[in-house]
Amino acid sequence: MSAAPSESNLDPKIAARLKRDADGLVAAIAQQYDTGEVLMLAWMNDEALHRTLTTGRATYWSRSRQEFWVKGESSGHQQWVKSVALDCDKDAILIKVDQVGGACHTGDRTCFDADVLDAAVGERPAGQS
């Protein structure tokens, strides 16, 4: 896989805060703004983040196609940005969106409902808050 293009219009103060992988990318998690539903994980380079911050439409970097893609541009399943935040390590982005239609490329509402794994369910000890 080749690296994403590095030329960007992203504010240098924001760019300086990002911790990118070897390909210049940061994980981006899309979440439905009003329900908290986790919709998908994609990747952003600096320019994709700049476009997301300035257009109000979620824009990602496609690692397979090596190009930018605006969510819903071809499918109609759009993501309208409500807020964008960096995590505490600055290596992941949380984009709260208003999702129109399915977020997953399969057409499902979320990318995380098709392959649920069996897992032990933990319980918080009594008295811990």
Side-chain angles (χ1 to χ4, degrees):
M1 165 180 15
S2 62
S6 59
E7 187 174 317
S8 172
N9 294 307
L10 184 63
D11 180 332
K13 291 178 184 175
I14 296 172
R17 294 164 55 194
L18 296 175
K19 292 183 185 171
R20 302 160 195 79
D21 70 7
D23 292 318
L25 302 173
V26 177
I29 302 157
Q31 180 181 38
Q32 179 63 34
Y33 81 100
D34 53 355
T35 65
E37 180 181 27
V38 177
L39 301 169
M40 59 178 269
L41 169 82
W43 297 93
M44 289 184 158
N45 63 7
D46 288 16
E47 183 60 20
L49 178 55
H50 167 73
R51 293 178 187 191
T52 297
L53 292 171
T54 59
T55 66
R57 295 285 307 277
T59 303
Y60 303 102
W61 176 255
S62 171
R63 296 179 303 166
S64 60
R65 295 188 314 265
Q66 294 290 296
E67 64 185 19
F68 295 103
W69 56 282
V70 177
K71 184 66 177 170
E73 198 168 52
S74 60
S75 69
H77 298 178
Q78 302 161 343
Q79 290 178 346
W80 297 97
V81 175
K82 297 297 181 181
S83 68
V84 180
L86 294 176
D87 78 332
C88 60
D89 292 324
K90 313 293 188 239
D91 62 358
I93 299 168
L94 177 63
I95 308 163
K96 292 188 179 183
V97 300
D98 188 6
Q99 177 69 46
V100 176
C104 188
H105 71 278
T106 65
D108 287 343
R109 171 75 182 164
T110 166
C111 294
F112 296 102
D113 62 0
D115 196 7
V116 178
L117 305 175
D118 289 332
V121 177
E123 295 291 335
R124 180 189 333 197
Q128 282 191 348
S129 53

